[in-house]
Each structure stands twice: as structure tokens, then as C-alpha cells.
Amino acid sequence: QNPTQNPHFANHQSKPHIHKMLKLSSRLTLVPLDPKTAITKVSSVFDNNGTVINVGDAEILEPKDLSAIHSFCKTVIEAEKDKRTVYVCTDDSDNAVTTSALLIGAFYILCKDASIQYVENHLAPIAHRVADYDAGGERCSVRDCWEALLFARSKGWLDLVSDDPDLDACIDVEEWAHYDSEANGRLHVVVPNELIV
């Protein structure tokens, strides 16, 4: 991944680092903490009943990593049901901040029926740190990823909210994860029951 400045997020004054917590909702907060020490610090300083999701520089998410998005969304949904706050802890690398933005935006789009404008407004304080992906020589922005997720949601191809989704109409994310590995062919369902690449 070769991060570059994301023009879709350039509508405010840039700052060199993320210094403050970003409270996105009553149950979701982005925290600038080194993931190696995040659990201890969150427990002692903020909330010893909170759920910590660590996003470090080594955990660079590819735009097509639907299983990671699914896992993130399920973690936040379960925490909300239990009335626990989720603390997304990111280090200060552009890659980690980009991954955090992609995951948080995906959650709002797929699980809260949010618009991309809503997501961009909520993530504006970290926008200057969000990078583009280099997808085989083509630039792919986080906004491009959100637009793809929004389109899939609008078509009924992605359902991460239902306990028992209609797998004839939408992507089976567990099956996706299985076939995503090279050992299993690296196949991806694009349109349920119609297109696999």
C-alpha cells in the first residue's frame, strides 16, 4: 500500500498528528493510542468495561477485505447491545488511521444506514491523515470504498445487521472469508448468485 493524500478529505485545515479522542457516538470513540498498550490505558483511564479494537500500522486493510469489515461491525453491534463503549485505538501512522476510517465509515454505512456525507462529517478531524490505496497502479480512495459499500447495501447484497440474513440475496461473509484465501482460490462474490471473480 502506498498512501497518498486523499483529496476527498482535504476540506479542512491539516494538523500533523491526532492528539485527541474523537467521540463519534455515545458508544464509539477513536483514540490515538499505541495498540500495544491500548487495552491497559483504556481500562485504567477511560472505561474498564469498554471494548478495545486495536488498529496498528501492521494491520493495513485492503479495500476488498470484507471479512475484516464484518468482524469490526459485529464487534461494535455486540458492544452496543451490551451498552459498552467501543474504543478504536490507532497508532499515529497514516496506514492505521486510514484503516480506522475505512472500518468506522463502513460500520455507519452498513449498520446505521448512514450517508457518505454523514461519515465524512463525523471523521473530518482525521481527514487529513486518510490516505489512498494503490490498487495495481490505480488510486482507490476510502471514499471509493464507502461508495461501493453503500451501493452494495442499496442493492441488498450486504446485510451485516440481521441475525439470519437471506443468503440467496446477499453475500455470505463467512463463505467470502473462506474463499478469500489463496489456498481456496481467492474467489470473491461480487453479485450474489450471479458474479464471482
Side-chain angles (χ1 to χ4, degrees):
Q1 313 278 336
N2 296 318
T4 54
Q5 182 87 10
N6 188 336
H8 297 293
F9 280 74
N11 297 324
H12 70 286
Q13 185 177 357
S14 292
K15 298 175 184 175
H17 301 289
I18 299 173
H19 293 295
K20 298 179 183 175
M21 288 188 349
L22 180 58
K23 188 164 185 169
L24 300 160
S25 73
S26 61
R27 296 287 172 202
L28 186 59
T29 301
L30 181 68
V31 186
L33 281 177
D34 182 344
K36 294 182 185 112
T37 60
I39 292 176
T40 304
K41 286 185 179 175
V42 167
S43 297
S44 62
V45 178
F46 303 120
D47 181 359
N48 62 8
N49 291 316
T51 296
V52 174
I53 299 176
N54 289 320
V55 182
D57 189 33
E59 302 170 75
I60 301 168
L61 194 68
E62 293 185 19
K64 65 175 180 56
D65 200 342
L66 189 57
S67 53
I69 291 170
H70 175 253
S71 176
F72 179 88
C73 290
K74 286 297 183 186
T75 300
V76 178
I77 289 168
E78 289 303 314
E80 285 183 336
K81 285 179 184 173
D82 295 338
K83 298 188 175 358
R84 288 181 284 113
T85 299
V86 174
Y87 296 91
V88 181
C89 299
T90 179
D91 64 28
D92 200 41
S93 69
D94 287 346
N95 286 330
V97 174
T98 299
T99 296
S100 299
L102 178 59
L103 290 169
I104 291 166
F107 168 74
Y108 277 109
I109 289 164
L110 296 175
C111 303
K112 298 295 184 182
D113 293 332
S115 67
I116 290 173
Q117 188 61 54
Y118 176 92
V119 171
E120 287 186 330
N121 289 344
H122 274 65
L123 293 176
I126 64 167
H128 62 284
R129 296 296 307 281
V130 175
D132 285 346
Y133 294 95
D134 181 356
E138 297 288 326
R139 284 178 65 181
C140 174
S141 71
V142 169
R143 192 180 207 279
D144 293 333
C145 300
W146 291 339
E147 287 175 348
L149 292 172
L150 183 62
F151 182 79
R153 187 197 79 192
S154 72
K155 293 291 186 183
W157 298 343
L158 279 175
D159 180 358
L160 304 188
V161 179
S162 302
D163 291 331
D164 188 22
D166 179 0
L167 298 180
D168 289 327
C170 66
I171 293 170
D172 182 337
V173 181
E174 290 182 9
E175 184 180 73
W176 171 289
H178 173 77
Y179 286 109
D180 184 47
S181 80
E182 289 185 14
N184 296 319
R186 216 123 166 87
L187 300 171
H188 298 106
V189 175
V190 178
V191 180
N193 293 317
E194 291 185 31
L195 180 61
I196 297 175
V197 294

